[in-house]
Amino acid sequence: MNELMVLRVIHVVGGAFWVGAVVFNSAFLLPALAASGPAAGQVMANLRRRHMLTVLPVVAILTLLSGLRLIQIASAGITASYFETGSGRTYATGGALAILGFLIGISVVRPALNRVAALGATMATAQDDATRAAIGAEIGAVRRRGASANAIVAVLLVAATVAMAIGRYM
Protein backbone atom coordinates (compact mmCIF):
# COMPACT_ATOMS: atom_id res chain seq x y z
CA MET A 1 0.00 0.00 0.00
CA ASN A 2 1.29 3.45 -0.78
CA GLU A 3 1.30 6.45 1.56
CA LEU A 4 -1.80 8.03 0.01
CA MET A 5 -3.88 4.89 0.54
CA VAL A 6 -2.74 4.50 4.15
CA LEU A 7 -3.47 8.16 4.88
CA ARG A 8 -6.92 7.97 3.29
CA VAL A 9 -7.81 4.84 5.29
CA ILE A 10 -6.67 6.46 8.54
CA HIS A 11 -8.46 9.69 7.69
CA VAL A 12 -11.76 8.20 6.53
CA VAL A 13 -12.05 5.41 9.12
CA GLY A 14 -10.79 7.64 11.94
CA GLY A 15 -13.09 10.45 10.88
CA ALA A 16 -16.10 8.11 10.69
CA PHE A 17 -15.34 6.82 14.19
CA TRP A 18 -14.72 10.30 15.61
CA VAL A 19 -17.79 11.96 14.08
CA GLY A 20 -19.98 8.96 14.81
CA ALA A 21 -18.92 8.80 18.44
CA VAL A 22 -19.46 12.53 18.99
CA VAL A 23 -22.87 12.53 17.29
CA PHE A 24 -23.89 9.40 19.26
CA ASN A 25 -22.76 11.01 22.50
CA SER A 26 -24.59 14.24 21.73
CA ALA A 27 -27.85 12.77 20.45
CA PHE A 28 -28.20 9.66 22.61
CA LEU A 29 -25.65 8.97 25.36
CA LEU A 30 -25.50 12.33 27.15
CA PRO A 31 -29.30 12.84 27.18
CA ALA A 32 -29.74 9.26 28.46
CA LEU A 33 -27.17 9.87 31.19
CA ALA A 34 -28.91 13.11 32.18
CA ALA A 35 -32.18 11.20 32.59
CA SER A 36 -30.53 8.34 34.52
CA GLY A 37 -29.83 10.19 37.75
CA PRO A 38 -27.25 8.58 40.05
CA ALA A 39 -26.88 5.53 37.78
CA ALA A 40 -25.16 7.80 35.24
CA GLY A 41 -22.12 7.92 37.52
CA GLN A 42 -21.59 4.19 37.12
CA VAL A 43 -21.87 4.44 33.35
CA MET A 44 -19.36 7.30 33.22
CA ALA A 45 -16.97 5.38 35.48
CA ASN A 46 -17.21 2.37 33.15
CA LEU A 47 -16.59 4.56 30.09
CA ARG A 48 -13.48 5.93 31.79
CA ARG A 49 -12.30 2.39 32.59
CA ARG A 50 -12.78 1.50 28.91
CA HIS A 51 -10.59 4.54 28.06
CA MET A 52 -13.21 6.35 25.96
CA LEU A 53 -11.80 9.71 27.01
CA THR A 54 -8.36 8.63 25.78
CA VAL A 55 -9.27 6.69 22.63
CA LEU A 56 -11.48 9.41 21.14
CA PRO A 57 -8.83 12.19 21.28
CA VAL A 58 -6.16 9.83 19.92
CA VAL A 59 -8.38 8.89 16.97
CA ALA A 60 -9.18 12.58 16.44
CA ILE A 61 -5.48 13.49 16.40
CA LEU A 62 -4.69 10.71 13.91
CA THR A 63 -7.57 11.89 11.74
CA LEU A 64 -6.36 15.50 11.84
CA LEU A 65 -2.72 14.61 11.17
CA SER A 66 -3.58 12.32 8.26
CA GLY A 67 -5.84 15.07 6.86
CA LEU A 68 -3.06 17.63 7.12
CA ARG A 69 -0.68 15.31 5.27
CA LEU A 70 -3.33 14.59 2.63
CA ILE A 71 -3.85 18.30 2.01
CA GLN A 72 -0.08 18.78 1.86
CA ILE A 73 0.09 16.11 -0.85
CA ALA A 74 -2.96 17.43 -2.75
CA SER A 75 -1.69 21.01 -2.68
CA ALA A 76 1.85 20.09 -3.74
CA GLY A 77 3.33 21.37 -0.49
CA ILE A 78 0.67 23.74 0.86
CA THR A 79 0.82 26.18 -2.03
CA ALA A 80 -1.37 29.28 -1.97
CA SER A 81 -2.67 28.62 -5.46
CA TYR A 82 -4.31 25.37 -4.31
CA PHE A 83 -6.31 27.21 -1.65
CA GLU A 84 -7.61 29.62 -4.28
CA THR A 85 -9.47 26.73 -5.91
CA GLY A 86 -12.94 25.63 -4.83
CA SER A 87 -11.62 22.26 -3.69
CA GLY A 88 -8.76 23.81 -1.74
CA ARG A 89 -11.06 26.27 0.03
CA THR A 90 -13.61 23.57 0.82
CA TYR A 91 -11.03 21.15 2.23
CA ALA A 92 -9.37 23.96 4.20
CA THR A 93 -12.72 25.04 5.64
CA GLY A 94 -13.56 21.45 6.57
CA GLY A 95 -10.16 21.03 8.19
CA ALA A 96 -10.54 24.26 10.15
CA LEU A 97 -13.97 23.17 11.40
CA ALA A 98 -12.56 19.81 12.50
CA ILE A 99 -9.65 21.47 14.29
CA LEU A 100 -12.02 23.87 16.05
CA GLY A 101 -14.23 20.92 17.04
CA PHE A 102 -11.21 19.08 18.40
CA LEU A 103 -10.09 22.09 20.44
CA ILE A 104 -13.54 22.53 21.98
CA GLY A 105 -13.78 18.80 22.65
CA ILE A 106 -10.40 18.56 24.33
CA SER A 107 -10.70 21.82 26.32
CA VAL A 108 -14.39 21.72 27.36
CA VAL A 109 -16.10 18.37 26.72
CA ARG A 110 -13.36 16.00 27.93
CA PRO A 111 -12.74 17.87 31.22
CA ALA A 112 -16.51 18.06 31.82
CA LEU A 113 -16.93 14.32 31.31
CA ASN A 114 -13.97 13.61 33.58
CA ARG A 115 -15.43 15.92 36.23
CA VAL A 116 -18.86 14.27 36.02
CA ALA A 117 -17.27 10.84 36.41
CA ALA A 118 -15.22 11.99 39.41
CA LEU A 119 -18.24 13.62 41.04
CA GLY A 120 -20.28 10.48 40.43
CA ALA A 121 -17.68 8.47 42.31
CA THR A 122 -17.81 10.86 45.28
CA MET A 123 -21.61 10.70 45.28
CA ALA A 124 -21.41 7.04 46.27
CA THR A 125 -19.43 7.89 49.40
CA ALA A 126 -21.39 11.00 50.41
CA GLN A 127 -22.43 10.81 54.05
CA ASP A 128 -25.68 12.76 54.02
CA ASP A 129 -28.50 13.96 51.79
CA ALA A 130 -27.30 17.57 51.75
CA THR A 131 -23.87 16.54 50.45
CA ARG A 132 -25.45 14.25 47.85
CA ALA A 133 -27.76 17.09 46.75
CA ALA A 134 -24.84 19.50 46.39
CA ILE A 135 -22.84 16.95 44.39
CA GLY A 136 -25.90 16.22 42.26
CA ALA A 137 -26.38 19.91 41.50
CA GLU A 138 -22.74 20.26 40.47
CA ILE A 139 -22.98 17.13 38.31
CA GLY A 140 -26.02 18.62 36.57
CA ALA A 141 -24.31 21.94 35.86
CA VAL A 142 -21.10 20.31 34.58
CA ARG A 143 -23.08 17.79 32.52
CA ARG A 144 -25.13 20.57 30.88
CA ARG A 145 -21.99 22.54 30.01
CA GLY A 146 -20.33 19.43 28.58
CA ALA A 147 -23.44 18.41 26.65
CA SER A 148 -23.82 21.88 25.13
CA ALA A 149 -20.17 21.94 24.08
CA ASN A 150 -20.47 18.39 22.72
CA ALA A 151 -23.47 19.45 20.61
CA ILE A 152 -21.39 22.30 19.15
CA VAL A 153 -18.56 19.85 18.41
CA ALA A 154 -21.04 17.49 16.73
CA VAL A 155 -22.30 20.27 14.44
CA LEU A 156 -18.74 21.34 13.59
CA LEU A 157 -17.67 17.78 12.80
CA VAL A 158 -20.73 17.05 10.67
CA ALA A 159 -20.06 20.27 8.74
CA ALA A 160 -16.40 19.24 8.35
CA THR A 161 -17.52 15.83 7.09
CA VAL A 162 -19.82 17.44 4.52
CA ALA A 163 -16.94 19.64 3.35
CA MET A 164 -14.69 16.58 2.99
CA ALA A 165 -17.41 14.70 1.10
CA ILE A 166 -18.00 17.45 -1.46
CA GLY A 167 -14.53 19.04 -1.61
CA ARG A 168 -13.36 17.32 -4.75
CA TYR A 169 -16.45 18.52 -6.64
CA MET A 170 -16.04 22.20 -5.80
Short mmCIF file of all heavy atoms in Angstrom, two decimals, residues 120-158:
data_model
loop_
_atom_site.label_atom_id
_atom_site.label_comp_id
_atom_site.label_asym_id
_atom_site.label_seq_id
_atom_site.Cartn_x
_atom_site.Cartn_y
_atom_site.Cartn_z
N GLY A 120 -19.44 11.66 40.26
CA GLY A 120 -20.28 10.48 40.43
C GLY A 120 -19.67 9.50 41.41
O GLY A 120 -20.38 8.88 42.21
N ALA A 121 -18.36 9.36 41.37
CA ALA A 121 -17.68 8.47 42.31
C ALA A 121 -17.78 8.99 43.74
O ALA A 121 -17.96 8.20 44.68
CB ALA A 121 -16.22 8.30 41.90
N THR A 122 -17.70 10.31 43.92
CA THR A 122 -17.81 10.86 45.28
C THR A 122 -19.24 10.81 45.79
O THR A 122 -19.46 10.74 46.99
CB THR A 122 -17.30 12.32 45.35
OG1 THR A 122 -18.12 13.14 44.53
CG2 THR A 122 -15.86 12.42 44.93
N MET A 123 -20.20 10.80 44.88
CA MET A 123 -21.61 10.70 45.28
C MET A 123 -21.86 9.41 46.06
O MET A 123 -22.61 9.40 47.03
CB MET A 123 -22.50 10.77 44.04
CG MET A 123 -23.97 10.61 44.32
SD MET A 123 -24.75 12.14 44.81
CE MET A 123 -25.13 12.80 43.22
N ALA A 124 -21.21 8.34 45.63
CA ALA A 124 -21.41 7.04 46.27
C ALA A 124 -20.94 7.02 47.72
O ALA A 124 -21.45 6.26 48.53
CB ALA A 124 -20.70 5.95 45.47
N THR A 125 -19.97 7.87 48.04
CA THR A 125 -19.43 7.89 49.40
C THR A 125 -19.94 9.06 50.24
O THR A 125 -19.51 9.23 51.37
CB THR A 125 -17.89 7.93 49.37
OG1 THR A 125 -17.48 9.12 48.69
CG2 THR A 125 -17.33 6.71 48.65
N ALA A 126 -20.85 9.84 49.67
CA ALA A 126 -21.39 11.00 50.41
C ALA A 126 -22.12 10.51 51.66
O ALA A 126 -22.86 9.53 51.63
CB ALA A 126 -22.32 11.80 49.52
N GLN A 127 -21.91 11.23 52.75
CA GLN A 127 -22.43 10.81 54.05
C GLN A 127 -23.87 11.21 54.32
O GLN A 127 -24.56 10.56 55.10
CB GLN A 127 -21.53 11.37 55.17
CG GLN A 127 -20.10 10.89 55.09
CD GLN A 127 -19.97 9.39 55.27
OE1 GLN A 127 -20.66 8.78 56.07
NE2 GLN A 127 -19.11 8.77 54.47
N ASP A 128 -24.33 12.29 53.70
CA ASP A 128 -25.68 12.76 54.02
C ASP A 128 -26.38 13.28 52.78
O ASP A 128 -25.77 13.48 51.73
CB ASP A 128 -25.62 13.85 55.10
CG ASP A 128 -24.74 15.02 54.70
OD1 ASP A 128 -25.10 15.74 53.75
OD2 ASP A 128 -23.68 15.21 55.35
N ASP A 129 -27.68 13.51 52.92
CA ASP A 129 -28.50 13.96 51.79
C ASP A 129 -28.09 15.33 51.28
O ASP A 129 -28.14 15.58 50.08
CB ASP A 129 -29.98 13.96 52.17
CG ASP A 129 -30.54 12.55 52.32
OD1 ASP A 129 -29.93 11.61 51.77
OD2 ASP A 129 -31.59 12.40 52.98
N ALA A 130 -27.69 16.22 52.17
CA ALA A 130 -27.30 17.57 51.75
C ALA A 130 -26.05 17.52 50.86
O ALA A 130 -25.97 18.22 49.84
CB ALA A 130 -27.05 18.45 52.97
N THR A 131 -25.10 16.69 51.25
CA THR A 131 -23.87 16.54 50.45
C THR A 131 -24.21 15.92 49.09
O THR A 131 -23.73 16.38 48.06
CB THR A 131 -22.84 15.67 51.19
OG1 THR A 131 -22.58 16.26 52.47
CG2 THR A 131 -21.55 15.55 50.40
N ARG A 132 -25.05 14.89 49.10
CA ARG A 132 -25.45 14.25 47.85
C ARG A 132 -26.18 15.24 46.95
O ARG A 132 -25.97 15.27 45.73
CB ARG A 132 -26.32 13.03 48.12
CG ARG A 132 -25.51 11.79 48.47
CD ARG A 132 -26.38 10.54 48.52
NE ARG A 132 -27.23 10.49 49.70
CZ ARG A 132 -26.83 10.14 50.92
NH1 ARG A 132 -25.57 9.78 51.11
NH2 ARG A 132 -27.66 10.11 51.93
N ALA A 133 -27.03 16.09 47.54
CA ALA A 133 -27.76 17.09 46.75
C ALA A 133 -26.80 18.11 46.14
O ALA A 133 -26.95 18.50 44.97
CB ALA A 133 -28.80 17.79 47.62
N ALA A 134 -25.81 18.54 46.91
CA ALA A 134 -24.84 19.50 46.39
C ALA A 134 -24.02 18.89 45.25
O ALA A 134 -23.78 19.53 44.22
CB ALA A 134 -23.91 19.98 47.51
N ILE A 135 -23.59 17.64 45.44
CA ILE A 135 -22.84 16.95 44.39
C ILE A 135 -23.72 16.77 43.16
O ILE A 135 -23.29 17.00 42.03
CB ILE A 135 -22.29 15.60 44.89
CG1 ILE A 135 -21.24 15.83 45.98
CG2 ILE A 135 -21.70 14.79 43.73
CD1 ILE A 135 -20.82 14.56 46.71
N GLY A 136 -24.97 16.40 43.37
CA GLY A 136 -25.90 16.22 42.26
C GLY A 136 -26.11 17.50 41.47
O GLY A 136 -26.18 17.48 40.24
N ALA A 137 -26.21 18.62 42.18
CA ALA A 137 -26.38 19.91 41.50
C ALA A 137 -25.15 20.25 40.68
O ALA A 137 -25.26 20.73 39.54
CB ALA A 137 -26.66 21.01 42.53
N GLU A 138 -23.97 19.98 41.23
CA GLU A 138 -22.74 20.26 40.47
C GLU A 138 -22.63 19.34 39.26
O GLU A 138 -22.26 19.78 38.16
CB GLU A 138 -21.51 20.11 41.36
CG GLU A 138 -20.24 20.55 40.64
CD GLU A 138 -19.00 20.52 41.51
OE1 GLU A 138 -19.10 20.28 42.73
OE2 GLU A 138 -17.91 20.74 40.94
N ILE A 139 -22.99 18.08 39.44
CA ILE A 139 -22.98 17.13 38.31
C ILE A 139 -23.89 17.65 37.20
O ILE A 139 -23.52 17.65 36.02
CB ILE A 139 -23.40 15.72 38.75
CG1 ILE A 139 -22.29 15.05 39.55
CG2 ILE A 139 -23.79 14.85 37.54
CD1 ILE A 139 -22.67 13.72 40.18
N GLY A 140 -25.08 18.12 37.57
CA GLY A 140 -26.02 18.62 36.57
C GLY A 140 -25.47 19.81 35.80
O GLY A 140 -25.59 19.87 34.58
N ALA A 141 -24.86 20.74 36.52
CA ALA A 141 -24.31 21.94 35.86
C ALA A 141 -23.15 21.57 34.93
O ALA A 141 -23.09 22.05 33.79
CB ALA A 141 -23.84 22.95 36.91
N VAL A 142 -22.25 20.71 35.40
CA VAL A 142 -21.10 20.31 34.58
C VAL A 142 -21.58 19.49 33.38
O VAL A 142 -21.10 19.67 32.26
CB VAL A 142 -20.08 19.53 35.42
CG1 VAL A 142 -18.97 18.96 34.55
CG2 VAL A 142 -19.50 20.41 36.52
N ARG A 143 -22.56 18.62 33.61
CA ARG A 143 -23.08 17.79 32.52
C ARG A 143 -23.73 18.66 31.44
O ARG A 143 -23.53 18.43 30.25
CB ARG A 143 -24.10 16.78 33.05
CG ARG A 143 -24.57 15.83 31.97
CD ARG A 143 -25.61 14.85 32.45
NE ARG A 143 -25.05 13.94 33.42
CZ ARG A 143 -25.65 13.61 34.57
NH1 ARG A 143 -26.82 14.10 34.87
NH2 ARG A 143 -25.09 12.76 35.38
N ARG A 144 -24.49 19.68 31.86
CA ARG A 144 -25.13 20.57 30.88
C ARG A 144 -24.09 21.33 30.06
O ARG A 144 -24.22 21.44 28.84
CB ARG A 144 -26.09 21.54 31.57
CG ARG A 144 -27.41 20.91 31.98
CD ARG A 144 -28.40 21.93 32.51
NE ARG A 144 -27.96 22.59 33.74
CZ ARG A 144 -28.08 22.07 34.96
NH1 ARG A 144 -28.63 20.88 35.13
NH2 ARG A 144 -27.67 22.74 36.02
N ARG A 145 -23.05 21.83 30.72
CA ARG A 145 -21.99 22.54 30.01
C ARG A 145 -21.29 21.60 29.02
O ARG A 145 -21.07 21.95 27.85
CB ARG A 145 -20.98 23.12 31.00
CG ARG A 145 -19.90 23.96 30.34
CD ARG A 145 -18.99 24.69 31.32
NE ARG A 145 -18.30 23.80 32.23
CZ ARG A 145 -18.49 23.74 33.56
NH1 ARG A 145 -19.36 24.53 34.13
NH2 ARG A 145 -17.81 22.90 34.31
N GLY A 146 -20.98 20.39 29.47
CA GLY A 146 -20.33 19.43 28.58
C GLY A 146 -21.22 19.01 27.43
O GLY A 146 -20.76 18.89 26.29
N ALA A 147 -22.51 18.82 27.71
CA ALA A 147 -23.44 18.41 26.65
C ALA A 147 -23.62 19.52 25.62
O ALA A 147 -23.68 19.24 24.41
CB ALA A 147 -24.79 18.01 27.25
N SER A 148 -23.69 20.76 26.07
CA SER A 148 -23.82 21.88 25.13
C SER A 148 -22.58 21.99 24.25
O SER A 148 -22.69 22.16 23.02
CB SER A 148 -24.02 23.20 25.89
OG SER A 148 -25.23 23.18 26.59
N ALA A 149 -21.41 21.88 24.85
CA ALA A 149 -20.17 21.94 24.08
C ALA A 149 -20.08 20.75 23.13
O ALA A 149 -19.65 20.90 21.98
CB ALA A 149 -18.96 21.98 25.01
N ASN A 150 -20.51 19.58 23.59
CA ASN A 150 -20.47 18.39 22.72
C ASN A 150 -21.40 18.56 21.52
O ASN A 150 -21.07 18.13 20.41
CB ASN A 150 -20.85 17.14 23.52
CG ASN A 150 -20.46 15.88 22.80
OD1 ASN A 150 -19.29 15.50 22.79
ND2 ASN A 150 -21.42 15.22 22.16
N ALA A 151 -22.55 19.20 21.73
CA ALA A 151 -23.47 19.45 20.61
C ALA A 151 -22.82 20.38 19.58
O ALA A 151 -22.96 20.18 18.37
CB ALA A 151 -24.78 20.04 21.12
N ILE A 152 -22.11 21.38 20.06
CA ILE A 152 -21.39 22.30 19.15
C ILE A 152 -20.33 21.52 18.37
O ILE A 152 -20.19 21.68 17.15
CB ILE A 152 -20.78 23.47 19.94
CG1 ILE A 152 -21.89 24.38 20.48
CG2 ILE A 152 -19.79 24.26 19.07
CD1 ILE A 152 -21.43 25.37 21.52
N VAL A 153 -19.58 20.67 19.07
CA VAL A 153 -18.56 19.85 18.41
C VAL A 153 -19.21 18.96 17.36
O VAL A 153 -18.69 18.82 16.24
CB VAL A 153 -17.75 19.02 19.43
CG1 VAL A 153 -16.83 18.03 18.73
CG2 VAL A 153 -16.97 19.93 20.36
N ALA A 154 -20.35 18.36 17.68
CA ALA A 154 -21.04 17.49 16.73
C ALA A 154 -21.40 18.25 15.45
O ALA A 154 -21.18 17.77 14.34
CB ALA A 154 -22.29 16.88 17.37
N VAL A 155 -21.93 19.46 15.61
CA VAL A 155 -22.30 20.27 14.44
C VAL A 155 -21.05 20.61 13.62
O VAL A 155 -21.06 20.50 12.38
CB VAL A 155 -23.05 21.55 14.87
CG1 VAL A 155 -23.19 22.53 13.71
CG2 VAL A 155 -24.42 21.19 15.44
N LEU A 156 -19.98 21.01 14.30
CA LEU A 156 -18.74 21.34 13.59
C LEU A 156 -18.19 20.13 12.83
O LEU A 156 -17.76 20.26 11.67
CB LEU A 156 -17.69 21.86 14.58
CG LEU A 156 -17.95 23.23 15.19
CD1 LEU A 156 -16.98 23.50 16.34
CD2 LEU A 156 -17.85 24.32 14.13
N LEU A 157 -18.22 18.96 13.45
CA LEU A 157 -17.67 17.78 12.80
C LEU A 157 -18.55 17.30 11.64
O LEU A 157 -18.02 16.83 10.63
CB LEU A 157 -17.45 16.65 13.81
CG LEU A 157 -16.36 16.91 14.85
CD1 LEU A 157 -16.21 15.71 15.78
CD2 LEU A 157 -15.03 17.26 14.21
N VAL A 158 -19.86 17.41 11.79
CA VAL A 158 -20.73 17.05 10.67
C VAL A 158 -20.49 18.01 9.50
O VAL A 158 -20.39 17.59 8.34
CB VAL A 158 -22.22 17.02 11.09
CG1 VAL A 158 -23.14 16.94 9.89
CG2 VAL A 158 -22.46 15.84 12.03
#
